[in-house]
Amino acid sequence: MRSTLLSSVAILLAIGSQLVQTCQDHGHGSGGDGSQWTITPEELSELKDLERKWGTDWSFSGIATFAHLKHFKCLTTPSERFDIGIIGAPFDTATSYRPGARFGPRAIRQASSRQTSFRGFNPRAGINPYASWATIIDCGDIPITPFDNAVALEQMSEAFLELGLRSPRTLKEKGKKPKLITLGGDHSLALPALRALKKVYGREVRVVHFDAHLDTWHPAKYPSAWPSAQSHFNHGSMFWLAGQEGLLSNSSAHSNIHAGLRTRLSGVDDSDLVDDSSQNWLRISADDIDDLGGPSGVIKAILDQFDSSDPDPDPVYLSIDIDVLDPAFAPGTGTPEPGGWTTRELIRILRGLVDELNIVGADVVEVSPAYQGRGEETALAGAQVVYEVLTGMVKRGLKDGESEKAEERVESGDGGHDEL
């Protein structure tokens, strides 16, 4: 029986973990060539025993996926359905100052190693996002070329659309779509993400943008005697491009929102702000947190721009540049600006927003680990931000009617490994 078991294990590993779940539920399945195979109750029992003995990781062990989540290369595994996917976009050749954010996804995953399904309960939200209704997986990275930004933009646009059009694992009969949280990478990735969302949802998207910088600059604001169309795609102009392409809300009653601004402007006047306002953006500066009465005031100022009673709420893309934090808390970034918010303030603001808004996608960008300290403070902040956004997406799903399935998933083994 031992040799038969080993053969079965080899088959299961070759086919993938989705079929492991199938065999647990049904005891049989099919190979990629259409052949049928069956696993006996004895073999299944021994497989489960192996999983019981060796299937648990400590926070410091195992392959570095985000929060020890199951990993699938989603772009090449369309059969693997998910409700929320973590996708890396290791791209940084559209930066204007310090490069290095291509290593951001790897750093954020490493910094998330103490987030686990075993100890993931969020007392603020009252749920464990890793053990609730949503199937959350790490989708790996988009393999983006570092040599040609035009090709890179095409790759990211196609990848986000491919994943965004997939059927989610839970309640697919409601016609809902899976959601992506992108680990950057530089901030230019927001443009291809918004392109995909416009096609997926068939409507303009509103953006809530946390950043020290406007990122709505006309490309000509980067002066050069060598202009090119490709240079228009950069991490300071992607929201200008998105507006030009009709991807963002252009209704004054449905503005897009900046939060945490403290950037220097071009030229000798405030024409950058005038241009930003003409693109339908509301600005909340870093200093405004004091005048508004702290994080709660910032939360209110943002939520006041949304109609909480709307039965068909606007889809929102949440874009978080880690440089919204002061360099004291996030030095590992490409364009640091003194005078920013603390990590606690940002987290507190996000907690007041993420389960109130209809967030259809998000990114955490510009983590450039080469410039952070030995304690990984920038990547740790990025990983915590992802956790808060995940929590909000899952809690919002509960409000929208998705049911708790934690016990069912634990019983079936569908919740992934437990980690300590």
Side-chain angles (χ1 to χ4, degrees):
M1 186 185 84
R2 187 71 176 178
S3 62
T4 304
L5 171 63
L6 293 176
S7 297
S8 298
V9 172
I11 291 172
L12 292 173
L13 290 175
I15 295 173
S17 63
Q18 178 60 45
L19 291 183
V20 173
Q21 181 60 37
T22 300
C23 80
Q24 287 180 339
D25 291 342
H26 307 293
H28 58 83
S30 59
D33 58 358
S35 60
Q36 299 293 314
W37 51 266
T38 301
I39 185 168
T40 68
E42 292 80 7
E43 291 167 347
L44 179 59
S45 176
E46 190 159 353
L47 283 172
K48 286 185 174 181
D49 190 51
L50 291 173
E51 176 69 19
R52 179 184 62 82
K53 289 179 178 178
W54 312 115
T56 301
D57 276 323
W58 293 90
S59 58
F60 51 81
S61 66
I63 303 299
T65 66
F66 187 87
H68 298 267
L69 293 168
K70 287 183 178 180
H71 166 256
F72 299 92
K73 196 166 185 178
C74 296
L75 286 167
T76 59
T77 318
S79 61
E80 190 59 42
R81 298 198 306 273
F82 58 89
D83 299 303
I84 303 172
I86 309 296
I87 183 76
F91 173 75
D92 65 2
T93 54
T95 55
S96 59
Y97 189 44
R98 300 194 303 201
R102 69 181 64 181
F103 300 105
R106 183 178 297 176
I108 294 171
R109 287 186 174 103
Q110 171 63 30
S112 74
S113 61
R114 290 188 64 247
Q115 295 184 35
T116 66
S117 60
F118 179 81
R119 191 165 287 124
F121 183 77
N122 190 326
R124 185 275 312 173
I127 62 169
N128 180 341
Y130 302 121
S132 187
W133 63 268
T135 296
I136 309 172
I137 64 175
D138 189 324
C139 285
D141 290 344
I142 305 170
I144 307 166
T145 180
F147 303 121
D148 188 322
N149 281 8
V151 173
L153 175 57
E154 182 180 3
Q155 289 175 317
M156 288 187 281
S157 298
E158 187 170 333
F160 287 132
L161 183 60
E162 167 69 27
L163 296 177
L165 289 174
R166 299 270 176 88
S167 296
R169 179 151 190 175
T170 305
L171 296 181
K172 57 183 179 296
E173 68 273 10
K174 288 189 174 182
K176 295 187 177 181
K177 298 298 182 182
K179 298 180 180 181
L180 295 174
I181 300 177
T182 306
L183 311 180
D186 74 48
H187 212 156
S188 63
L189 65 84
L191 176 62
L194 289 166
R195 284 179 173 177
L197 289 171
K198 174 69 179 296
K199 292 180 179 178
V200 169
Y201 289 91
R203 58 191 291 191
E204 297 165 341
V205 176
R206 296 179 68 180
V207 175
V208 177
H209 171 222
F210 288 86
D211 202 318
H213 310 93
L214 291 168
D215 292 352
T216 57
W217 280 291
H218 189 291
K221 291 295 180 80
Y222 292 95
S224 174
W226 307 90
S228 71
Q230 181 173 300
S231 68
H232 288 189
F233 174 57
N234 63 72
H235 75 159
S237 298
M238 72 282 175
F239 289 133
W240 181 87
L241 290 170
Q244 294 296 305
E245 294 182 16
L247 308 179
L248 306 181
S249 168
N250 61 6
S251 166
S252 58
H254 302 273
S255 63
N256 306 291
I257 302 164
H258 301 295
L261 295 173
R262 57 192 186 280
T263 183
R264 291 171 295 280
L265 303 177
S266 307
V268 295
D269 57 24
D270 64 354
S271 60
D272 285 351
L273 301 182
V274 174
D275 190 31
D276 182 71
S277 295
S278 72
Q279 298 176 55
N280 197 37
W281 287 85
L282 172 75
R283 292 179 299 278
I284 299 172
S285 73
D287 290 345
D288 286 340
I289 196 170
D290 300 318
D291 300 330
L292 292 171
S296 61
V298 175
I299 295 168
K300 183 178 185 302
I302 294 174
L303 291 182
D304 281 350
Q305 304 304 311
F306 294 85
D307 181 0
S308 60
S309 63
D310 189 345
D312 184 24
D314 295 330
V316 175
Y317 184 75
L318 184 61
S319 190
I320 304 164
D321 188 325
I322 206 68
D323 73 20
V324 71
L325 299 178
D326 189 89
F329 303 95
T333 191
T335 48
E337 301 284 359
W341 289 340
T342 68
T343 308
R344 181 186 61 79
E345 287 169 337
L346 175 61
I347 290 171
R348 178 66 185 86
I349 293 167
L350 289 173
R351 286 175 173 174
L353 299 175
V354 288
D355 57 356
E356 297 294 331
L357 302 178
N358 180 29
I359 297 173
V360 296
D363 64 47
V364 178
V365 297
E366 299 287 357
V367 172
S368 192
Y371 309 108
Q372 69 179 354
R374 294 181 179 180
E376 304 177 282
E377 65 290 310
T378 310
L380 283 168
Q384 183 67 26
V385 165
V386 174
Y387 171 72
E388 299 296 343
V389 175
L390 270 174
T391 298
M393 286 180 170
V394 174
K395 188 170 182 179
R396 173 80 183 200
L398 293 174
K399 290 181 179 179
D400 290 344
E402 280 80 349
S403 60
E404 278 283 5
K405 294 188 177 182
E407 292 183 6
E408 176 186 334
R409 294 177 65 207
V410 170
E411 287 294 321
S412 68
D414 192 40
H417 298 318
D418 277 342
E419 301 84 19
L420 302 174

